[in-house]
Amino acid sequence: MISFKKALAGYLIPLTTVGVILPAAAQTEQHNAKAHGNNQRKTAADQSAPQRKSVAAKGLLASLGSKQNKIMAAKSEGVIVLAKRAGSTGAALDEQRRSTGVASVMSREQIEQAPETNLSDILTRLPGVSAYSDMGGGQAATGESQYMTIRGLDSSYNAYTLNGERIAPADPTTRAISFDMLAPYGITSIKVSKSTTADMDGDAIGGAIDIRTPTAFDFSGPYQKVTLQGQLNDKAAQIGTQDLGGTAQVEFARRFGKDKNFGIYATGYYSSKGVLADAVAPNTSYSPTLLSQAGVTSLNQASQLSTQQLKYDLFSSSIKRYGGSLSLNYKGDKQEVYFLGTYGQYNVTMNDNQVSLRGGDSGYNANGVYQSATATRGQYFETDDSAQLLTTQKLGGITRTGRWTINYDIFNSYGVQSSPNQVEASMYGNTTVNGPFTFDVENTTLPRVMGSSSAVSQLENQNANRFWKTQGRDSQSTSDMFGIHADTAYKFNSDILKSIVFGFKISDTQRQSWRHPYFHDDNNFVYDGPFFGGQDWAYNNAAGPVIGDIPGKQVNAFGGAAGDFRLLDRDWVKNTTVPYKYQNDPNGAGNYTKNDWNANTSRGSERIYAGFVELNLQAGPVDIHPGFRYEYTDFSGSHWKSNGDDATGEFVNVKQSYGTPLPYLNINWRPTDLSVLRFSVRRSLTRPAFGLINGATSLSLDSVTNRVISVSQPNPNLRPTTATVFDFSGELYNRHAGVVSASVYYKQLQKFIFTSVSGTSNSSTLGGNVPTNAYTDNGTEYQMPMNGGGAKLEGIELNAQQTLDFLPGWLGGFGLNGNVTLQHSVAKSNIAGHPNTALPRAPEIMYNLGVFYNRGRFHFDLNYNYIGTQLLSLNSSVPDFYLQPTQRLDLSLKYKFGWGLTGTLAMQNLLNTPAYWETMGKGKAYLAYDGSANGAFVQTGRMYLVGLTGQF
């Protein structure tokens, strides 16, 4: 048995800078002395020069010293093996292997090889990890994903940390973190923990994502690097909007002092790009196509559906990211002190230009088929800007004395999410075109209006419309989190009980959210209207210029399906409205009231008190980690409640407090140094998001009639979701940077949170001032977060990665990677007609397939990512809304010129697949009508990147 282990260890060795195989007991003792997010790990990042290899090898051999010799003498079956370094990817695999629970680790090398410029899309290469964006604020139109999911659970079910401490969630509607502010620059590794331990935050039903920034101790010597990159969006180039962008990044690291035990690392980056997206969707709800089916109680029962309105949107975006990170470190034999800070800013300037085609006098003709006797044309414009900010600071240290190790820090994270000067403009006219018309929507991603050629030609003329009115608003949400954390580890001189770790964490998060409409009741500000001494012009008698006379640019879009299409000048539109915001318009929009200013305002404070204890046991090749964590949550807040008089109201208080016991058990059997079988079971929770329990009612209004299209309301009675989570996995590593793993998991949830869409009205004064016409049944959707009943998620995850450097000659540069996640979910929604449903955002299949080459001066990486169909929301009277599968093929090429210079050529979305595809029903027959979003089928085209990196 001993000789077998020696032989196997000689073949299956970890691929760090110098591979070191310790006996199982010594390994486990090392692994269990956790530094709880202190980010002082040696990842061997960027040590690519041959002399650095030598320095690293000598340093590590010296550090082994007599202590390691004694260990090896005591454990005669152990062996030390030196091996050729395989870069930071090998170090990431080594950390993954040594982990107490099931985890995936992405190295700095893997992050830099991916062609994406946003972190969320890069992370989808890991097994069981997916990403998504919404269209509520047009975010998917940027071509980038925003939120992460682990094993198909909604992103709000994950815990997000940066250098081991929590990131403040700025979005009031979710516990998820927007990855927009987290650029893939200056990151040394990312760890996705799918089974967590007692020393980690307990609100991680899905899992935990920890992002680490470098320190000077991640490099063997002085380090400096400069990166320059240019970008082109082909769809923007075709239409003629801003299509170019670029990135610049500088980073350096230095160690100094007599013993080189002081270190500084810093990086700064700036990135910009232009993106254009086209999007189509129905502009009103569906009706049965056949008169014989007009009386069905649910659209699910109709064989064919029709609509009477379509909308076509062009989103032009200018995206800017900038920020950086700083690490200051001191490392002594018994004491470490560090400061870690990050700053990230993400700004999007977005214009949404829309053409809508609207049927009138709609009904069933003599043949019993749904048609519109007339139709009108409209145009719509919106600035949908976003400004996001994230800062993190962490000051702490590690003290070692005898058998004790004490880890402590104070931390702060501050997040902002805002939409400044959001202006909407509507343009209509008095031209009604006689039909009849039908709206071809079935089995198409480019719906069209069908009618006689002369009638369609009249409908496509943009100069039938004049500038009519505007609306506007400012909104912002902030999250300011402060906390303190400490844990202590004590090592025992025992063959079984190796150590005990215990500690506490206290955090206090202050939240504020507001949304101020520019005019009373978010009403219309009419161009040349009462405010300017004119009439209160109706939509069909607008007083503004015709579309063709408004400053802007004429473009060819949607293959002519929308007719004339003009991109309006945003400054011209904003100047019609912004200078007059928050003012009285007594003969038009009305007098601005206290209720208008406060209606969408909420404040809150959430304190979380946590304590934990964990034992680390060893029984031969088996290490066992039982633990217990207790978290107490105390939330208090207030939101505005209207008195119903359209003018006054008051702030009302909301309180929640609850304690949650969380037991853990992680067991690892390591039959060899590079193989491990894992089992874990744990309890976890997810707290309701701030805005879901203490937010305000938000509305989406029809631009012509001002009828409420959708109402979204909070639910102060939401309770946290809890879950019991089981994981079982096996992993096998080898000396060729390879790993094969298989995992089986099962999650049993209670009171899961989902968004319900119903046809019934809710409280008229909850959170704000809701116009009385919100409570008609004219297609209005009412959305409210709800606690469901029980739910379960079960799945299997397979992963393989292998370099082929054992092949002869140039073939040894190839490598393969692939992973697939298959899962099934079922949940009780507590909604009539939905006794059982799938969990939202839980696709049944996810997979990646990749091939890469790294030999000599040349490297390429080709990766295909697929995420299956996802349930988005549950509907009571119409089919549920689904997100169709997303798929993406990306290519990255690199060539090393010498002198430290590397050139890069990359292409994103080679297959030109849609960025977002929402349907009504699970099939692809009907695009979804979502009153809170513009666009159900969204395309953003391909992105091309070329760059040059200098490392000196």
Side-chain angles (χ1 to χ4, degrees):
M1 181 64 181
I2 293 176
S3 60
F4 168 76
K5 291 181 69 174
K6 283 185 177 180
L8 191 59
Y11 180 78
L12 302 174
I13 60 174
L15 296 174
T16 52
T17 304
V18 178
V20 179
I21 303 299
L22 299 179
Q27 282 188 38
T28 304
E29 186 171 349
Q30 268 192 350
H31 306 163
N32 293 342
K34 299 177 180 178
H36 193 71
N38 64 358
N39 196 40
Q40 310 302 308
R41 302 170 179 86
K42 301 258 185 172
T43 62
D46 294 287
Q47 300 175 14
S48 56
Q51 63 268 28
R52 290 181 182 171
K53 296 179 190 176
S54 176
V55 170
K58 291 177 182 178
L60 183 53
L61 287 171
S63 68
L64 291 174
S66 60
K67 180 177 180 180
Q68 296 293 355
N69 292 333
K70 291 177 181 178
I71 294 176
M72 298 304 295
K75 305 288 186 179
S76 59
E77 70 271 25
V79 59
I80 293 180
V81 182
L82 303 184
K84 182 181 177 180
R85 168 190 179 274
S88 62
T89 299
L93 284 177
D94 197 39
E95 180 185 354
Q96 180 176 303
R97 176 181 65 87
R98 294 172 179 268
S99 175
T100 298
V102 181
S104 298
V105 182
M106 178 170 279
S107 68
R108 176 187 177 107
E109 187 176 45
Q110 292 170 308
I111 295 170
E112 291 180 343
Q113 288 172 359
E116 291 86 0
T117 55
N118 67 312
L119 197 57
S120 52
D121 283 324
I122 294 174
L123 282 173
T124 59
R125 299 182 175 216
L126 293 175
V129 177
S130 58
Y132 69 92
S133 290
D134 290 320
M135 276 302 291
Q139 209 284 330
T142 64
E144 298 182 352
S145 298
Q146 185 178 14
Y147 296 110
M148 305 303 307
T149 70
I150 301 175
R151 289 176 169 173
L153 278 177
D154 183 83
S155 54
S156 60
Y157 289 92
N158 302 326
Y160 303 88
T161 57
L162 206 161
N163 292 318
E165 295 297 0
R166 290 303 286 262
I167 301 173
D171 188 340
T173 64
T174 178
R175 289 276 176 176
I177 295 298
S178 170
F179 273 68
D180 289 336
M181 298 94 69
L182 300 169
Y185 312 114
I187 295 176
T188 192
S189 66
I190 301 172
K191 182 176 183 179
V192 178
S193 299
K194 299 166 186 177
S195 61
T196 59
T197 52
D199 61 334
M200 302 171 68
D201 291 325
D203 53 339
I205 294 176
I209 299 177
D210 185 36
I211 302 166
R212 294 87 167 262
T213 59
T215 74
F217 293 90
D218 291 316
F219 309 93
S220 61
Y223 174 80
Q224 47 276 322
K225 182 179 178 182
V226 178
T227 299
L228 299 174
Q229 185 185 76
Q231 305 176 35
L232 169 71
N233 177 241
D234 68 344
K235 184 170 283 292
Q238 294 166 12
I239 296 295
T241 59
Q242 179 185 342
D243 55 1
L244 296 175
T247 298
Q249 184 209 3
V250 178
E251 60 180 331
F252 79 96
R254 292 288 188 277
R255 291 168 62 179
F256 53 93
K258 180 180 179 181
D259 298 318
K260 301 294 184 183
N261 51 3
F262 291 90
I264 179 172
Y265 168 87
T267 186
Y269 62 87
Y270 178 87
S271 176
S272 69
K273 66 178 177 180
V275 179
L276 184 110
D278 57 42
V280 296
N283 201 34
T284 190
S285 55
Y286 288 93
S287 298
T289 301
L290 304 178
L291 176 62
S292 60
Q293 298 176 348
V296 297
T297 57
S298 172
L299 293 182
N300 286 304
Q301 301 170 2
S303 60
Q304 190 176 353
L305 301 175
S306 295
T307 188
Q308 58 177 338
Q309 293 184 20
L310 299 174
K311 55 185 176 183
Y312 304 82
D313 292 79
L314 284 182
F315 294 88
S316 53
S317 303
S318 174
I319 303 171
K320 292 181 172 59
R321 285 186 174 91
Y322 54 90
S325 65
L326 173 68
S327 301
L328 303 175
N329 296 77
Y330 165 79
K331 281 195 174 185
D333 293 336
K334 295 185 177 182
Q335 181 65 51
E336 297 183 23
V337 180
Y338 56 84
F339 171 79
L340 308 174
T342 66
Y343 177 91
Q345 182 83 42
Y346 173 83
N347 295 330
V348 178
T349 301
M350 179 182 289
N351 301 328
D352 175 12
N353 285 269
Q354 179 189 109
V355 167
S356 65
L357 305 178
R358 299 166 170 253
D361 299 323
S362 300
Y364 295 93
N365 61 17
N367 296 320
V369 177
Y370 195 82
Q371 283 186 332
S372 295
T374 61
T376 58
R377 173 192 173 94
Q379 187 149 339
Y380 172 85
F381 175 88
E382 180 179 9
T383 63
D384 216 344
D385 301 349
S386 175
Q388 300 180 45
L389 168 71
L390 176 66
T391 69
T392 66
Q393 301 85 40
K394 179 180 177 182
L395 176 64
I398 304 173
T399 301
R400 302 179 183 89
T401 174
R403 297 179 179 272
W404 296 91
T405 300
I406 307 172
N407 195 335
Y408 43 88
D409 61 74
I410 58 174
F411 60 92
N412 168 247
S413 179
Y414 178 69
V416 179
Q417 182 168 300
S418 64
S419 181
N421 289 328
Q422 181 188 19
V423 176
E424 302 174 10
S426 300
M427 291 139 275
Y428 296 96
N430 58 8
T431 301
T432 300
V433 182
N434 292 321
F437 297 96
T438 58
F439 294 77
D440 182 15
V441 295
E442 187 175 7
N443 295 312
T444 179
T445 55
L446 183 57
R448 291 177 178 267
V449 175
M450 311 298 290
S452 67
S453 59
S454 60
V456 171
S457 178
Q458 294 180 61
L459 194 61
E460 292 177 343
N461 179 14
Q462 67 182 7
N463 285 332
N465 298 143
R466 291 181 174 271
F467 196 90
W468 170 41
K469 60 91 176 180
T470 58
Q471 293 166 288
R473 58 202 62 87
D474 290 318
S475 62
Q476 180 172 284
S477 176
T478 63
S479 178
D480 197 3
M481 177 188 294
F482 289 88
I484 183 172
H485 147 261
D487 61 49
T488 300
Y490 179 80
K491 293 184 178 180
F492 294 94
N493 186 16
S494 168
D495 292 335
I496 297 179
L497 178 58
K498 294 299 179 181
S499 65
I500 182 172
V501 184
F502 54 92
F504 73 92
K505 183 176 183 179
I506 301 173
S507 65
D508 186 344
T509 305
Q510 299 295 318
R511 303 296 304 267
Q512 181 169 323
S513 180
W514 49 262
R515 183 174 181 266
H516 303 318
Y518 283 180
F519 308 107
H520 175 62
D521 277 357
D522 205 10
N523 279 336
N524 300 334
F525 186 66
V526 177
Y527 185 89
D528 201 21
F531 187 88
F532 303 97
Q535 298 183 36
D536 193 1
W537 306 103
Y539 78 93
N540 56 2
N541 192 25
V546 297
I547 300 296
D549 291 340
I550 298 175
K553 181 178 183 178
Q554 208 72 21
V555 298
N556 182 17
F558 300 103
D564 297 333
F565 212 108
R566 187 168 184 81
L567 304 180
L568 304 186
D569 181 88
R570 66 180 273 131
D571 291 333
W572 186 91
V573 176
K574 288 177 66 175
N575 287 337
T576 66
T577 306
V578 174
Y580 314 105
K581 64 181 181 181
Y582 309 138
Q583 297 186 34
N584 294 331
D585 186 15
N587 297 315
N591 289 328
Y592 204 79
T593 69
K594 186 177 182 179
N595 191 84
D596 293 317
W597 181 260
N598 291 321
N600 299 296
T601 299
S602 56
R603 312 181 187 97
S605 174
E606 182 179 70
R607 293 180 177 86
I608 300 174
Y609 306 88
F612 78 93
V613 61
E614 184 177 66
L615 298 177
N616 302 311
L617 309 173
Q618 185 74 43
V622 179
D623 53 271
I624 306 169
H625 309 269
F628 180 81
R629 186 179 186 90
Y630 185 82
E631 296 195 354
Y632 182 79
T633 306
D634 185 12
F635 175 84
S636 61
S638 62
H639 63 264
W640 184 261
K641 180 178 179 181
S642 169
N643 289 331
D645 59 3
D646 207 22
T648 65
E650 62 181 350
F651 283 98
V652 296
N653 295 325
V654 175
K655 288 183 177 293
Q656 279 193 358
S657 61
Y658 45 87
T660 312
L662 304 171
Y664 295 79
L665 177 62
N666 286 272
I667 302 174
N668 300 300
W669 177 41
R670 304 178 190 270
T672 68
D673 291 311
L674 292 174
S675 60
V676 56
L677 290 175
R678 308 183 191 272
F679 171 78
S680 74
V681 58
R682 61 187 174 94
R683 287 285 291 171
S684 189
L685 83 154
T686 293
R687 302 175 181 89
F690 170 71
L692 301 187
I693 58 176
N694 190 45
T697 298
S698 62
L699 309 175
S700 176
L701 307 177
D702 185 278
S703 57
V704 173
T705 64
N706 223 34
R707 178 184 64 81
V708 176
I709 298 173
S710 65
V711 180
S712 180
Q713 298 186 190
N715 182 357
N717 297 316
L718 275 182
R719 304 304 298 168
T721 301
T722 56
T724 302
V725 183
F726 296 88
D727 281 279
F728 180 78
S729 71
E731 303 162 16
L732 180 64
Y733 300 80
N734 65 45
R735 66 184 177 92
H736 298 286
V739 59
V740 177
S741 65
S743 300
V744 178
Y745 56 91
Y746 177 83
K747 301 176 187 283
Q748 183 72 52
L749 286 74
Q750 299 83 38
K751 298 182 180 179
F752 74 97
I753 298 173
F754 66 100
T755 299
S756 169
V757 178
S758 66
T760 60
S761 63
N762 293 302
S763 168
S764 62
T765 59
L766 180 59
N769 181 34
V770 182
T772 55
N773 66 346
Y775 302 106
T776 65
D777 293 328
N778 297 327
T780 301
E781 295 173 348
Y782 298 86
Q783 302 178 0
M784 174 181 280
M786 304 286 289
N787 280 115
K792 66 179 181 179
L793 176 70
E794 52 195 4
I796 183 171
E797 185 178 279
L798 306 175
N799 176 51
Q801 174 182 317
Q802 184 64 67
T803 62
L804 305 180
D805 57 3
F806 50 81
L807 295 179
W810 62 273
L811 292 174
F814 279 102
L816 303 171
N817 64 273
N819 56 71
V820 60
T821 302
L822 303 171
Q823 60 186 19
H824 173 72
S825 65
V826 62
K828 297 180 179 179
S829 69
N830 295 335
I831 293 180
H834 276 286
N836 292 301
T837 180
L839 278 169
R841 294 286 182 193
E844 294 185 343
I845 181 171
M846 299 175 280
Y847 64 86
N848 283 280
L849 295 173
V851 57
F852 55 90
Y853 186 87
N854 192 7
R855 191 80 163 187
R857 295 177 178 268
F858 184 66
H859 172 87
F860 83 80
D861 185 278
L862 182 67
N863 191 81
Y864 177 79
N865 175 258
Y866 178 92
I867 302 172
T869 305
Q870 303 173 52
L871 173 66
L872 293 184
S873 64
L874 305 177
N875 304 336
S876 61
S877 59
V878 299
D880 298 335
F881 291 164
Y882 287 86
L883 186 66
Q884 289 299 312
T886 58
Q887 46 192 321
R888 184 159 161 165
L889 180 66
D890 294 334
L891 173 66
S892 176
L893 305 169
K894 289 189 177 184
Y895 185 80
K896 296 179 181 178
F897 296 105
W899 310 288
L901 297 177
T902 302
T904 302
L905 176 65
M907 289 158 277
Q908 300 174 10
N909 194 22
L910 288 176
L911 302 180
N912 198 28
T913 50
Y916 186 86
W917 188 356
E918 185 181 0
T919 59
M920 187 178 70
K922 198 169 186 178
K924 299 180 179 179
Y926 298 101
L927 296 177
Y929 163 64
D930 187 344
S932 62
N934 291 329
F937 184 81
V938 183
Q939 292 183 297
T940 57
R942 301 176 179 90
M943 186 72 72
Y944 301 92
L945 306 95
V946 59
L948 184 66
T949 297
Q951 182 175 319
F952 312 102

PDB file of all heavy atoms in Angstrom, residues 373-385:
ATOM      1  N   ALA A 373     -59.117  46.957 -37.105  1.00  0.00           N
ATOM      2  CA  ALA A 373     -59.680  47.687 -38.242  1.00  0.00           C
ATOM      3  C   ALA A 373     -58.822  48.875 -38.631  1.00  0.00           C
ATOM      4  O   ALA A 373     -58.760  49.264 -39.803  1.00  0.00           O
ATOM      5  CB  ALA A 373     -61.106  48.149 -37.916  1.00  0.00           C
ATOM      6  N   THR A 374     -58.141  49.478 -37.648  1.00  0.00           N
ATOM      7  CA  THR A 374     -57.285  50.630 -37.893  1.00  0.00           C
ATOM      8  C   THR A 374     -55.963  50.439 -37.150  1.00  0.00           C
ATOM      9  O   THR A 374     -55.816  49.521 -36.336  1.00  0.00           O
ATOM     10  CB  THR A 374     -57.943  51.933 -37.411  1.00  0.00           C
ATOM     11  OG1 THR A 374     -58.174  51.843 -35.995  1.00  0.00           O
ATOM     12  CG2 THR A 374     -59.271  52.167 -38.127  1.00  0.00           C
ATOM     13  N   ALA A 375     -55.033  51.347 -37.425  1.00  0.00           N
ATOM     14  CA  ALA A 375     -53.746  51.309 -36.704  1.00  0.00           C
ATOM     15  C   ALA A 375     -53.150  52.708 -36.681  1.00  0.00           C
ATOM     16  O   ALA A 375     -53.429  53.540 -37.557  1.00  0.00           O
ATOM     17  CB  ALA A 375     -52.790  50.329 -37.350  1.00  0.00           C
ATOM     18  N   THR A 376     -52.337  52.963 -35.662  1.00  0.00           N
ATOM     19  CA  THR A 376     -51.600  54.216 -35.541  1.00  0.00           C
ATOM     20  C   THR A 376     -50.144  53.903 -35.232  1.00  0.00           C
ATOM     21  O   THR A 376     -49.802  52.792 -34.822  1.00  0.00           O
ATOM     22  CB  THR A 376     -52.172  55.113 -34.430  1.00  0.00           C
ATOM     23  OG1 THR A 376     -52.134  54.393 -33.185  1.00  0.00           O
ATOM     24  CG2 THR A 376     -53.600  55.537 -34.730  1.00  0.00           C
ATOM     25  N   ARG A 377     -49.331  54.921 -35.435  1.00  0.00           N
ATOM     26  CA  ARG A 377     -47.903  54.786 -35.190  1.00  0.00           C
ATOM     27  C   ARG A 377     -47.494  55.734 -34.071  1.00  0.00           C
ATOM     28  O   ARG A 377     -48.060  56.831 -33.924  1.00  0.00           O
ATOM     29  CB  ARG A 377     -47.122  55.122 -36.462  1.00  0.00           C
ATOM     30  CG  ARG A 377     -45.605  55.176 -36.295  1.00  0.00           C
ATOM     31  CD  ARG A 377     -44.950  55.805 -37.518  1.00  0.00           C
ATOM     32  NE  ARG A 377     -43.523  56.005 -37.305  1.00  0.00           N
ATOM     33  CZ  ARG A 377     -42.572  55.153 -37.662  1.00  0.00           C
ATOM     34  NH1 ARG A 377     -42.920  54.027 -38.276  1.00  0.00           N
ATOM     35  NH2 ARG A 377     -41.294  55.415 -37.425  1.00  0.00           N
ATOM     36  N   GLY A 378     -46.548  55.323 -33.266  1.00  0.00           N
ATOM     37  CA  GLY A 378     -46.012  56.198 -32.239  1.00  0.00           C
ATOM     38  C   GLY A 378     -44.512  56.033 -32.135  1.00  0.00           C
ATOM     39  O   GLY A 378     -43.943  55.043 -32.619  1.00  0.00           O
ATOM     40  N   GLN A 379     -43.864  57.006 -31.517  1.00  0.00           N
ATOM     41  CA  GLN A 379     -42.433  56.897 -31.247  1.00  0.00           C
ATOM     42  C   GLN A 379     -42.188  57.286 -29.795  1.00  0.00           C
ATOM     43  O   GLN A 379     -42.912  58.118 -29.234  1.00  0.00           O
ATOM     44  CB  GLN A 379     -41.603  57.774 -32.186  1.00  0.00           C
ATOM     45  CG  GLN A 379     -40.107  57.542 -32.047  1.00  0.00           C
ATOM     46  CD  GLN A 379     -39.328  57.764 -33.339  1.00  0.00           C
ATOM     47  OE1 GLN A 379     -39.889  57.717 -34.426  1.00  0.00           O
ATOM     48  NE2 GLN A 379     -38.025  57.987 -33.223  1.00  0.00           N
ATOM     49  N   TYR A 380     -41.165  56.684 -29.225  1.00  0.00           N
ATOM     50  CA  TYR A 380     -40.895  56.822 -27.800  1.00  0.00           C
ATOM     51  C   TYR A 380     -39.388  56.937 -27.635  1.00  0.00           C
ATOM     52  O   TYR A 380     -38.602  56.351 -28.387  1.00  0.00           O
ATOM     53  CB  TYR A 380     -41.437  55.585 -27.088  1.00  0.00           C
ATOM     54  CG  TYR A 380     -41.111  55.438 -25.632  1.00  0.00           C
ATOM     55  CD1 TYR A 380     -41.894  56.049 -24.658  1.00  0.00           C
ATOM     56  CD2 TYR A 380     -40.051  54.636 -25.226  1.00  0.00           C
ATOM     57  CE1 TYR A 380     -41.603  55.876 -23.310  1.00  0.00           C
ATOM     58  CE2 TYR A 380     -39.762  54.459 -23.889  1.00  0.00           C
ATOM     59  CZ  TYR A 380     -40.529  55.086 -22.929  1.00  0.00           C
ATOM     60  OH  TYR A 380     -40.235  54.907 -21.603  1.00  0.00           O
ATOM     61  N   PHE A 381     -38.969  57.719 -26.659  1.00  0.00           N
ATOM     62  CA  PHE A 381     -37.546  57.884 -26.381  1.00  0.00           C
ATOM     63  C   PHE A 381     -37.344  57.887 -24.872  1.00  0.00           C
ATOM     64  O   PHE A 381     -38.135  58.493 -24.134  1.00  0.00           O
ATOM     65  CB  PHE A 381     -37.017  59.192 -26.975  1.00  0.00           C
ATOM     66  CG  PHE A 381     -35.575  59.472 -26.624  1.00  0.00           C
ATOM     67  CD1 PHE A 381     -34.555  58.972 -27.411  1.00  0.00           C
ATOM     68  CD2 PHE A 381     -35.242  60.223 -25.502  1.00  0.00           C
ATOM     69  CE1 PHE A 381     -33.231  59.220 -27.097  1.00  0.00           C
ATOM     70  CE2 PHE A 381     -33.918  60.472 -25.172  1.00  0.00           C
ATOM     71  CZ  PHE A 381     -32.914  59.969 -25.972  1.00  0.00           C
ATOM     72  N   GLU A 382     -36.275  57.233 -24.410  1.00  0.00           N
ATOM     73  CA  GLU A 382     -35.973  57.206 -22.982  1.00  0.00           C
ATOM     74  C   GLU A 382     -34.470  57.214 -22.779  1.00  0.00           C
ATOM     75  O   GLU A 382     -33.726  56.531 -23.491  1.00  0.00           O
ATOM     76  CB  GLU A 382     -36.576  55.959 -22.329  1.00  0.00           C
ATOM     77  CG  GLU A 382     -36.299  55.859 -20.830  1.00  0.00           C
ATOM     78  CD  GLU A 382     -36.928  54.638 -20.207  1.00  0.00           C
ATOM     79  OE1 GLU A 382     -37.430  53.769 -20.941  1.00  0.00           O
ATOM     80  OE2 GLU A 382     -36.915  54.543 -18.962  1.00  0.00           O
ATOM     81  N   THR A 383     -34.018  58.000 -21.815  1.00  0.00           N
ATOM     82  CA  THR A 383     -32.646  57.867 -21.334  1.00  0.00           C
ATOM     83  C   THR A 383     -32.686  56.888 -20.176  1.00  0.00           C
ATOM     84  O   THR A 383     -33.407  57.092 -19.204  1.00  0.00           O
ATOM     85  CB  THR A 383     -32.079  59.220 -20.866  1.00  0.00           C
ATOM     86  OG1 THR A 383     -32.838  59.704 -19.761  1.00  0.00           O
ATOM     87  CG2 THR A 383     -32.124  60.245 -21.993  1.00  0.00           C
ATOM     88  N   ASP A 384     -31.941  55.816 -20.305  1.00  0.00           N
ATOM     89  CA  ASP A 384     -31.950  54.757 -19.284  1.00  0.00           C
ATOM     90  C   ASP A 384     -30.544  54.607 -18.726  1.00  0.00           C
ATOM     91  O   ASP A 384     -29.946  53.528 -18.752  1.00  0.00           O
ATOM     92  CB  ASP A 384     -32.431  53.438 -19.891  1.00  0.00           C
ATOM     93  CG  ASP A 384     -33.257  52.637 -18.906  1.00  0.00           C
ATOM     94  OD1 ASP A 384     -33.201  52.955 -17.695  1.00  0.00           O
ATOM     95  OD2 ASP A 384     -33.954  51.704 -19.335  1.00  0.00           O
ATOM     96  N   ASP A 385     -30.020  55.693 -18.171  1.00  0.00           N
ATOM     97  CA  ASP A 385     -28.644  55.707 -17.674  1.00  0.00           C
ATOM     98  C   ASP A 385     -28.546  54.976 -16.341  1.00  0.00           C
ATOM     99  O   ASP A 385     -29.516  54.869 -15.589  1.00  0.00           O
ATOM    100  CB  ASP A 385     -28.150  57.136 -17.490  1.00  0.00           C
ATOM    101  CG  ASP A 385     -28.188  57.935 -18.791  1.00  0.00           C
ATOM    102  OD1 ASP A 385     -28.390  57.323 -19.857  1.00  0.00           O
ATOM    103  OD2 ASP A 385     -28.020  59.173 -18.731  1.00  0.00           O
TER     104      ASP A 385
END
